[in-house]
Amino acid sequence: MSIGIIGAGISGLQLALRLQQLGIPVTVHSTQDADGLRSGSPKNFPARFGATQDREKALGVFDWPDEARVLAWSVAVSAPEGPPLEFEATLTPPSSVVDFRLYLPHLFEAFTSRGGEVVIGAPDLGAVAREHDLVVVANGDRSMRDLFPRVPELSPFGGPQRIITTGIYRGIVEKSPNQLDLRLIPGVGEIFQIPFLSPKGRANVLAFEAVPGGPLESVSHLDADADPAKFYREVLTLLEQFMPELRERVDTGEFATIGPREVLQGGVTPIVRKGWATLPNGRCALAIGDAWITNDPLTAQGANLGSHSAFALADLISAQTGPFDESFCRKASDSLWEHAKPVVEWSTAFLAPPPPHVVGLFQAAARDRRVADAFVSNFNDPVAMWQTLSSPAGVDGFLAGFPGGTR
């Protein structure tokens, strides 16, 4: 048995480490070595919740336990008139927020230090397929995505539903240590502040997710490196208008990105692709990570879904006694979809203004800290979260667990 993995993101590297741990021969094919993964601009700003951290502990790669945590959330939902609906919550267990330019090289070097084989360079899919019994594609680049066609009934959007401007900054004072701030503005978008461990040390992520054509989109058209002063003015203007409580905590004398090319701008089109493909030589390729599913980052589930899929697939590979043929790939993809489906449905639903039953949950959270804590902590369990949020009955059942004045 030999497994070839294309891609060195969280899905590919955790799968490689887990297969290595299980004694299954595996080769990672990556366009970058560890130094390449450390370099360049940020590509994402992941939050890894408790279940993902547990998998990292099992792999022996969980690091940064104290300096990169989110312990609490402060959430505000803007109302058409009057003050916002607000609540604070403790996140149990805390999430870990580490720049992938630190995180991915750490996993990469753990794999190679334990004897793992890595091939650096643009992968030749045909050659990889000839060398291995199964190819797993965990690289969302276009050259690989074309292998797995879009599933129309699971991919309702023809373009990005948010225009995103996210950067890593200094000069933001947190309301409480290790606390995330989230402002939901129905019909306009979302603003986040997230404590973050960057390659230059402790910093803060500030993210604008703009409904296309809305007022938050303005900052996405400005170049932070070409004219920093103009860019910062627009960022602060938007905060003053839509999140004034955060604007008050910005030290304008210190406020700046941590360096050049530390702002990420663009849009993500949510999409689900077919999870497997038969290659010309008859071998099979499975898709995980961004090669399979791309969610909008609003619900912070991308890295966590990638980690879950990696471990689940490793178990399926380890248990397989027959060939890694089309039948195996189809069944494996169907099995992985059981967990991915509620993640996709939840992420898709949150791109629309919250329906009345979700507003009712927010109102209960504002009245009862127990509800707030449980809601925020359910970001660690997307299946349970979607069971709650998907229907009025789900919210009623969730709130029934907190008797004494939540409704």
Side-chain angles (χ1 to χ4, degrees):
M1 181 191 303
S2 174
I3 309 300
I5 299 171
I6 296 176
I10 185 171
S11 302
L13 289 175
Q14 285 205 8
L15 175 60
L17 285 162
R18 183 59 175 160
L19 291 174
Q20 183 184 58
Q21 197 174 57
L22 295 172
I24 297 172
V26 56
T27 301
V28 173
H29 298 261
S30 173
T31 58
Q32 295 178 300
D33 60 12
D35 288 338
L37 293 171
R38 288 189 185 94
S39 64
S41 302
K43 295 181 175 60
N44 50 20
F45 304 88
R48 298 166 6 265
F49 294 105
T52 297
Q53 295 172 46
D54 288 342
R55 289 185 283 268
E56 292 163 358
K57 292 171 185 175
L59 293 173
V61 295
F62 180 69
D63 210 341
W64 315 284
D66 298 318
E67 63 268 46
R69 297 189 298 167
V70 171
L71 304 175
W73 287 32
S74 178
V75 180
V77 184
S78 296
E81 297 180 1
L85 176 64
E86 298 177 299
F87 62 88
E88 295 190 357
T90 299
L91 176 62
T92 305
S95 61
S96 179
V97 278
V98 179
D99 196 306
F100 266 18
R101 291 171 292 181
L102 297 172
Y103 177 84
L104 294 179
H106 179 62
L107 269 60
F108 188 102
E109 289 171 342
F111 177 68
T112 56
S113 71
R114 299 169 188 176
E117 181 181 0
V118 177
V119 177
I120 303 298
D124 180 330
L125 185 60
V128 175
R130 287 192 295 272
E131 295 168 3
H132 302 287
D133 298 293
L134 175 67
V135 178
V136 180
V137 180
N139 181 338
D141 290 348
R142 183 175 298 277
S143 61
M144 293 294 133
R145 291 200 307 261
D146 291 345
L147 184 64
F148 307 101
R150 173 178 174 269
V151 181
E153 61 270 25
L154 301 176
S155 308
F157 302 116
Q161 300 304 292
R162 295 291 188 272
I163 307 301
I164 301 168
T165 300
T166 309
I168 308 176
Y169 297 85
R170 51 184 170 82
I172 298 175
V173 178
E174 294 165 21
K175 182 178 179 181
S176 298
N178 301 99
Q179 179 171 289
L180 175 151
D181 299 297
L182 167 61
R183 172 62 73 101
L184 303 171
I185 313 159
V188 173
E190 300 80 30
I191 304 174
F192 294 86
Q193 179 283 131
I194 311 169
F196 199 68
L197 183 62
S198 79
K200 295 187 178 180
R202 187 70 165 67
N204 297 81
V205 166
L206 181 60
F208 296 88
E209 285 220 350
V211 171
L216 293 183
E217 187 181 334
S218 60
V219 72
S220 71
H221 302 296
L222 302 178
D223 190 324
D225 295 321
D227 191 344
K230 184 177 182 180
F231 178 82
Y232 298 148
R233 281 197 303 271
E234 184 63 18
V235 167
L236 295 176
T237 296
L238 292 176
L239 288 181
E240 182 68 41
Q241 181 177 357
F242 293 102
M243 203 171 180
E245 70 281 5
L246 179 57
R247 172 64 184 88
E248 293 174 359
R249 292 188 274 116
V250 175
D251 182 340
T252 53
E254 294 290 330
F255 183 69
T257 58
I258 62 171
R261 299 186 301 129
E262 293 291 334
V263 173
L264 179 64
Q265 294 167 302
V268 175
T269 301
I271 190 169
V272 177
R273 298 178 180 85
K274 185 179 177 182
W276 57 277
T278 301
L279 303 175
N281 70 346
R283 296 280 174 87
C284 188
L286 271 166
I288 61 173
D290 288 343
W292 180 32
I293 294 172
T294 303
N295 283 314
D296 187 277
L298 177 58
T299 57
Q301 293 299 314
N304 301 283
L305 176 59
S307 171
H308 183 280
S309 299
F311 263 61
L313 180 55
D315 288 344
L316 294 171
I317 291 171
S318 178
Q320 177 67 358
T321 57
F324 292 99
D325 55 10
E326 182 177 308
S327 175
F328 169 82
C329 288
R330 183 187 299 110
K331 291 177 182 177
S333 187
D334 288 346
S335 178
L336 296 179
W337 177 245
E338 291 178 10
H339 180 86
K341 182 175 184 286
V343 176
V344 170
E345 291 176 342
W346 171 29
S347 298
T348 298
F350 253 45
L351 292 170
H357 66 275
V358 174
V359 173
L361 174 57
F362 293 162
Q363 291 169 338
R367 294 192 300 268
D368 190 329
R369 180 64 181 252
R370 298 173 301 163
V371 174
D373 290 349
F375 167 67
V376 166
S377 295
N378 257 358
F379 274 74
N380 182 49
D381 188 346
V383 175
M385 178 69 94
W386 185 235
Q387 287 174 345
T388 295
L389 297 178
S390 59
S391 69
V395 168
D396 287 343
F398 179 79
L399 295 179
F402 306 94
T406 62
R407 289 188 268 184

